[in-house]
Amino acid sequence: MTLYWLISVPAHGDGHAAWRDVKRCIGDSEIHDFLLPALKIGTLDTLVKLSDELSKHDTVCEATVTKFIDTLHSLTDVTNKALAASLQVDGKSVDQYVKTFSWNNSKYRSDRTLPEIVAQIAESMGTIEHQLRTKLTQYNAIKNSLATVKRKQTGNLSVKSLNGIVSREDCISQSEFLQTVFVAVPRNLTKDWKNSYERLTDMVVPRSSKKISEDSEYVLYSVVLFKRVIDEFSNKARDMRFIVRDFVYDEEAMAKDRAMAEEVIEQEEDLLDNISEWLKGSFGDVIAAWIHIKALRVFVESVLRYGIPPDFLPVLVTPNTKQSSKIKQQLADFYSYLETSSRASERAKLAGKSRSNKAAAQTEDSAFDMHEFSTILSDYTPYVFFEIPWTFLDEER
């Protein structure tokens, strides 16, 4: 997968020249337009507040994307390559969507205020998060039921269903006083069982124990005793590490158990398909919301950094990963004049452009002095910089 950079630099009235400046710094790395609409700016206080809120929403969106990927992996058990091929955003792959990003004005109208747009995206993400939790709760419940069914079908003789193991001939039927009890005995205690079962309680039919089945851990025996001593016999057997199974031969009950098991298996398969399809369908909405949050961060930070009226160039860069550190340093060196507003007028010299004294004065008045904060911001860059870490599917699975 790919790591993307969202970069915004001052345009100073010439977006083409600004593009060439960035391209010169990034070398052979890919660069793409990242188109933003003319959004309402609002007040400075609103922008400062939104800057903090958008950072939190960005973190939430990224965590949701991670949860979607992890859930799809756990449910579908497919390779990263196959999973990536199945995930789309507006009919495009994630890579295509990000590289050709265009603001969805029909969904997030640009004539609304920035806080309204942010609230709309946050609400949609909250709805998706709630739906995901609800669907996972439903699936986990049916999955637990399925695990119980499978444990009864595939566990050892101390826990698995005795349907199909015990036959009608193994049981005393139509007796008012006697009942056949089935006991799972650890293989290393079979001798103890044979020597002691008749004396665990009174009213045990002598020499009635019969071996029914065995596995690698237990041997299943039947024994006949009076119904009135079954509870006492079970308690004494437990003390000897013999497990009396709660089982009464009933063909009607066995048929219901089989039908229930088949129903649980069918429900699990249907719910799995339903959740998988919902995850793949909603994944596009999650990615779209996340990238729009990134776009808003670029806009807000660019206005805060470079002032008004908005005059900046936002671009998407796919960096050469082997040279990413070098590229960031080259960008930082080229745009180092942005670290302090007092040096904003040097931009024309560094970029090889001419500009009027009036334009320089406007930039100086409206730009923030970020240099004073650079010592406490370890990831600070003189230009606006955000990552889109679409690396969730990097490790092959």
Side-chain angles (χ1 to χ4, degrees), residues 151-162 165 245:
R151 186 168 61 250
K152 289 181 178 180
Q153 293 176 340
T154 62
N156 59 48
L157 287 168
S158 70
V159 295
K160 73 186 300 183
S161 172
L162 300 183
I165 297 175
R245 298 298 311 276

Side-chain angles (χ1 to χ4, degrees), residues 222-265:
S222 65
V223 62
V224 179
L225 54 149
F226 279 76
K227 294 179 180 179
R228 59 185 295 185
V229 299
I230 289 178
D231 289 342
E232 181 184 359
F233 182 87
S234 298
N235 292 332
K236 294 290 182 66
R238 188 182 307 113
D239 293 340
M240 298 285 291
R241 295 171 54 199
F242 307 146
I243 301 173
V244 176
R245 298 298 311 276
D246 183 15
F247 176 82
V248 175
Y249 187 86
D250 184 333
E251 291 186 347
E252 183 177 343
M254 287 191 292
K256 288 182 179 179
D257 286 346
R258 284 193 296 270
M260 184 177 297
E262 292 172 358
E263 182 180 355
V264 169
I265 292 173

Side-chain angles (χ1 to χ4, degrees), residues 88-317:
Q88 293 193 334
V89 189
D90 292 343
K92 303 176 182 178
S93 68
V94 174
D95 183 67
Q96 290 174 323
Y97 176 79
V98 174
K99 289 180 178 179
T100 61
F101 174 77
S102 178
W103 184 269
N104 188 343
N105 203 51
S106 63
K107 189 171 185 179
Y108 306 117
R109 286 168 37 201
S110 59
D111 60 347
R112 304 181 69 186
T113 66
L114 291 177
E116 288 175 335
I117 296 174
V118 173
Q120 180 186 357
I121 297 175
E123 182 180 2
S124 66
M125 288 299 296
T127 300
I128 290 175
E129 279 275 2
H130 176 72
Q131 291 175 334
L132 177 59
R133 286 194 298 270
T134 300
K135 288 181 180 295
L136 287 180
T137 298
Q138 294 173 342
Y139 179 71
N140 287 332
I142 197 69
K143 192 175 180 180
N144 289 335
S145 298
L146 181 61
T148 300
V149 169
K150 288 184 176 180
R151 186 168 61 250
K152 289 181 178 180
Q153 293 176 340
T154 62
N156 59 48
L157 287 168
S158 70
V159 295
K160 73 186 300 183
S161 172
L162 300 183
N163 293 338
I165 297 175
V166 175
S167 65
R168 178 186 295 276
E169 290 71 25
D170 296 322
C171 307
I172 289 181
S173 59
Q174 298 179 341
S175 173
E176 183 178 355
F177 302 105
L178 297 176
Q179 181 172 323
T180 303
V181 172
F182 298 90
V183 184
V185 178
R187 293 183 68 91
N188 61 338
L189 297 179
T190 55
K191 186 175 181 180
D192 293 347
W193 165 258
K194 293 175 182 178
N195 292 334
S196 64
Y197 80 89
E198 293 180 353
R199 299 189 302 274
L200 289 179
T201 64
D202 294 333
M203 301 185 179
V204 176
V205 176
R207 295 184 293 280
S208 63
S209 177
K210 184 176 69 171
K211 179 178 173 180
I212 302 298
S213 183
E214 63 180 313
D215 58 26
S216 60
E217 299 177 65
Y218 290 90
V219 178
L220 184 68
Y221 290 98
S222 65
V223 62
V224 179
L225 54 149
F226 279 76
K227 294 179 180 179
R228 59 185 295 185
V229 299
I230 289 178
D231 289 342
E232 181 184 359
F233 182 87
S234 298
N235 292 332
K236 294 290 182 66
R238 188 182 307 113
D239 293 340
M240 298 285 291
R241 295 171 54 199
F242 307 146
I243 301 173
V244 176
R245 298 298 311 276
D246 183 15
F247 176 82
V248 175
Y249 187 86
D250 184 333
E251 291 186 347
E252 183 177 343
M254 287 191 292
K256 288 182 179 179
D257 286 346
R258 284 193 296 270
M260 184 177 297
E262 292 172 358
E263 182 180 355
V264 169
I265 292 173
E266 184 176 346
Q267 287 179 348
E268 193 270 345
E269 292 175 349
D270 290 344
L271 196 54
L272 177 60
D273 291 340
N274 177 273
I275 294 177
S276 297
E277 289 304 312
W278 179 85
L279 284 167
K280 292 176 182 178
S282 299
F283 176 82
D285 295 332
V286 173
I287 289 291
W290 186 30
I291 303 305
H292 278 79
I293 287 291
K294 291 285 190 184
L296 289 170
R297 293 194 73 185
V298 169
F299 181 84
V300 170
E301 294 303 323
S302 296
V303 174
L304 287 174
R305 290 276 192 103
Y306 310 138
I308 55 176
D311 183 22
F312 57 88
L313 174 72
V315 295
L316 179 83
V317 173

Side-chain angles (χ1 to χ4, degrees), residues 18-47:
W19 175 285
R20 289 194 297 270
D21 291 341
V22 175
K23 181 59 180 174
R24 198 159 42 239
C25 292
I26 66 172
D28 61 355
S29 296
E30 291 184 29
I31 182 171
H32 303 271
D33 288 316
F34 193 79
L35 304 177
L36 297 179
L39 298 167
K40 291 186 174 181
I41 296 175
T43 65
L44 174 62
D45 287 344
T46 299
L47 291 176

